[in-house]
Amino acid sequence: MFFNDIPIEDNRVKEKRIYLHIKRLFDIIFAIIGLILSSPILLIVAILIKFESPGPVFYKQERLGLRGRSFQVIKLRSMVVDAEKNGAKWADKDDPRVTKIGKFIRKTRIDEIPQLWNVLIGEMSLIGPRPERPMFTAQFNKEIPGFINRLQVKPGVTGWAQVNGGYDITPKEKLELDLQYIRNMNILLDLKIILKTIKIVFTGNGAR
């Protein structure tokens, strides 16, 4: 498949089929267990979201997945309903559009839990480059040729770039880290990312 008329293909990814099958099995098991165990937390947070501000509990947004396929990523709503009335933009530090409960669920990454559904149905993986919006992908690919090479693998709930800077690094740095992951992805690296993610969740580092 093509995105912006640029082929997305890497033989190194094709050579890791066994690993990718194991990874998919792990994704399914983890997503099912994660959704079941987190359901009480999701219920409590959903009530708090509705109590604080009007609007839906969940927030869906178009993102690009494997080989540029579009899908709707699911999050708990952490901003006011009309957050993008003035156009799409990345979240800033201390963003005024973020609600009080939104600040908490962003810091603890609870807002990301519903993406386990995206993982379960195969649109995402637990580990991989964070999915980007089509408009930003197109923009970054013009500014940083090759940015779409992040689309060689399924996007992840967490990833190598996320645990090494996240929002605090530039798109170019993000691309370099994501490609580093794609070139070297293996089970041990995935476990390392999971452990780093757990540490970030408890410290709240890099949240916006």
Side-chain angles (χ1 to χ4, degrees), residues 69-134:
R69 297 188 185 98
S70 175
F71 71 99
Q72 296 291 317
V73 72
I74 308 172
K75 291 187 176 186
L76 286 167
R77 182 170 61 85
S78 60
M79 291 186 174
V80 294
V81 173
D82 59 351
E84 293 195 332
K85 62 182 180 181
N86 296 319
K89 60 174 290 188
W90 268 12
D92 296 320
K93 190 174 183 179
D94 299 321
D95 198 311
R97 299 173 299 166
V98 179
T99 62
K100 292 179 181 179
I101 184 63
K103 290 180 181 179
F104 171 73
I105 63 176
R106 278 173 172 253
K107 186 174 183 179
T108 56
R109 275 34 179 216
I110 290 175
D111 63 321
E112 310 281 4
I113 292 177
Q115 289 171 51
L116 291 177
W117 176 255
N118 294 114
V119 173
L120 184 61
I121 63 178
E123 294 172 333
M124 293 179 64
S125 177
L126 184 64
I127 310 293
R130 285 295 296 161
E132 201 55 83
R133 298 173 71 172

Side-chain angles (χ1 to χ4, degrees), residues 153-164:
V153 297
K154 287 182 182 180
V157 177
T158 185
W160 190 234
Q162 288 302 109
V163 299
N164 285 286

